Amino acid sequence: MAWPFVYPADFVRNALQAHFLPAAEAFAASSAALSDQLAPGCAPLPAARERWRAALLAWERLAAVAVGPLIERRSARTVDFWPTRAAMVDAAVAAAPADLTALERIGAPAKGLPAIEYLLWQTQPDAAQCSYAALLAQECAAEAKAILAAFHDMARREWTTDTALPVLQDWIGQAVGGLEQLRWKRIGKPARGGRKTDWPRFASGTTRASWQATWNGLEDFVRGPENNEAFTGVTGLLRGRGDIDIGDELEASAERTHASVFAADPAKPASISSAQKAVAQTKSVLEDKAAAAMQIMVGFSDADGD
């Protein structure tokens, strides 16, 4: 099969249109829905929790490869400082900030979607907790709107090889960092700690869905979204360059990772180990073979595990 050559400008343009913009739109819509739901209070609580889950999973998918405005705006500090600090959230509730301006004086560990999770999964959140959760949701929705606007600005640029190449190189590095963060910070480190409460999104029971959403975001970047011929991901980029064996190896590794991540269960240690190994293998192929073939030097990223 002959694979079309993909120029860096085409890759960046198509990745924005096929993945980053749709993911940013989904996060903007779901976070706005969460804010609307919480504006009058937490009741009915099941509906509020479901809106939170939708916003959280949309965020996970968007932030899996943290690029562009996600880095420039340091959006993770606003939306997803994790693990949250319960004592700081309780203090913030007691301080009762009245609006987003007052919320600026609250530290990141007491804000974002993890803090809202802590509040909504109280047995019965009180009025002060619900009021603070509503303000946090309003801030997340504002951040999501700004992220979406910035991605639209990126998509409207006239990309050339000179402008797209450094962006492509940065994105590959961020994808490697995202894989490492999933492997270690989200799966490996909590498993080693051995405490159920260390699992991401434990309070809401969303741990597995969180892993899957993060992997979906990474997979879209590596393989291209399903049934989208315009953007075939890093695998298509490699094949078009003639690095067909590496593209095939990355594709096969991503397929195995998909199966392992979707089978991973915090209650089944063997499945956790399998998922970690699969994610590590895909990271290795992307970093050691794909990036090397494209002469991309993958540098340190703050998304790397510790």
Side-chain angles (χ1 to χ4, degrees):
M1 178 178 178
W3 294 89
F5 187 85
V6 180
Y7 291 93
D10 294 327
F11 183 91
V12 169
R13 188 183 304 113
N14 292 338
L16 286 166
Q17 292 292 344
H19 171 63
F20 289 111
L21 266 177
E25 287 168 350
F27 177 53
S30 59
S31 59
L34 173 64
S35 181
D36 291 345
Q37 179 72 39
L38 291 179
C42 296
L45 198 52
R49 289 172 172 174
E50 189 54 40
R51 290 286 173 87
W52 177 88
R53 283 193 185 93
L56 183 278
L57 298 180
W59 163 256
E60 300 268 28
R61 188 167 180 274
L62 170 63
V65 183
V67 304
L70 297 170
I71 296 295
E72 293 158 7
R73 297 182 56 81
R74 305 184 71 193
S75 298
R77 287 189 62 81
T78 302
V79 176
D80 190 20
F81 190 98
W82 178 80
T84 196
R85 306 285 193 269
M88 291 184 66
V89 178
D90 292 339
V93 170
D99 51 30
L100 292 183
T101 300
L103 193 60
E104 292 175 359
R105 295 191 289 272
I106 303 293
K111 300 201 290 187
L113 292 171
I116 300 174
E117 178 189 29
Y118 168 75
L119 293 165
L120 292 185
W121 268 266
Q122 300 294 315
T123 303
Q124 186 58 57
D126 61 28
Q129 290 169 327
C130 291
S131 177
Y132 185 61
L135 196 56
L136 295 182
Q138 188 180 343
E139 184 179 55
C140 286
E143 180 64 22
K145 188 175 180 180
I147 292 169
L148 178 59
F151 272 119
H152 274 299
D153 287 344
M154 288 187 74
R156 283 192 288 266
R157 292 179 195 168
E158 292 293 332
W159 291 98
T160 66
T161 296
D162 286 345
T163 59
L165 187 56
V167 171
L168 167 63
Q169 293 171 337
D170 177 64
W171 288 5
I172 296 291
Q174 289 301 114
V176 170
L179 286 164
E180 176 59 17
Q181 188 169 83
L182 175 62
R183 182 197 72 82
W184 176 241
K185 184 176 181 181
R186 304 284 173 161
I187 300 177
K189 190 175 181 180
R192 180 176 292 183
R195 296 185 304 178
K196 292 181 178 179
T197 53
D198 288 342
W199 293 112
R201 330 309 183 187
F202 170 78
S204 59
T206 316
T207 300
R208 295 185 67 190
S210 166
W211 290 339
Q212 293 164 11
T214 297
W215 169 249
N216 281 336
L218 288 160
E219 187 175 26
D220 269 7
F221 183 79
V222 170
R223 304 171 72 186
E226 193 173 5
N227 300 323
N228 189 311
E229 296 181 359
F231 179 58
T232 53
V234 180
T235 56
L237 181 67
L238 288 163
R239 289 162 170 156
R241 288 169 43 91
D243 298 313
I244 295 174
D245 290 346
I246 300 175
D248 290 348
E249 184 176 354
L250 183 59
E251 177 90 24
S253 182
E255 285 184 7
R256 290 192 294 272
T257 301
H258 181 99
S260 293
V261 170
F262 274 70
D265 184 338
K268 299 176 181 177
S271 74
I272 296 300
S273 178
S274 177
Q276 266 194 279
K277 291 176 181 175
V279 174
Q281 179 61 31
T282 295
K283 180 199 169 197
S284 176
V285 176
L286 181 62
E287 182 175 20
D288 300 335
K289 297 185 178 180
M294 292 185 281
Q295 298 182 316
I296 293 174
M297 182 69 72
V298 176
F300 175 80
S301 166
D302 60 8
D304 289 346
D306 55 9

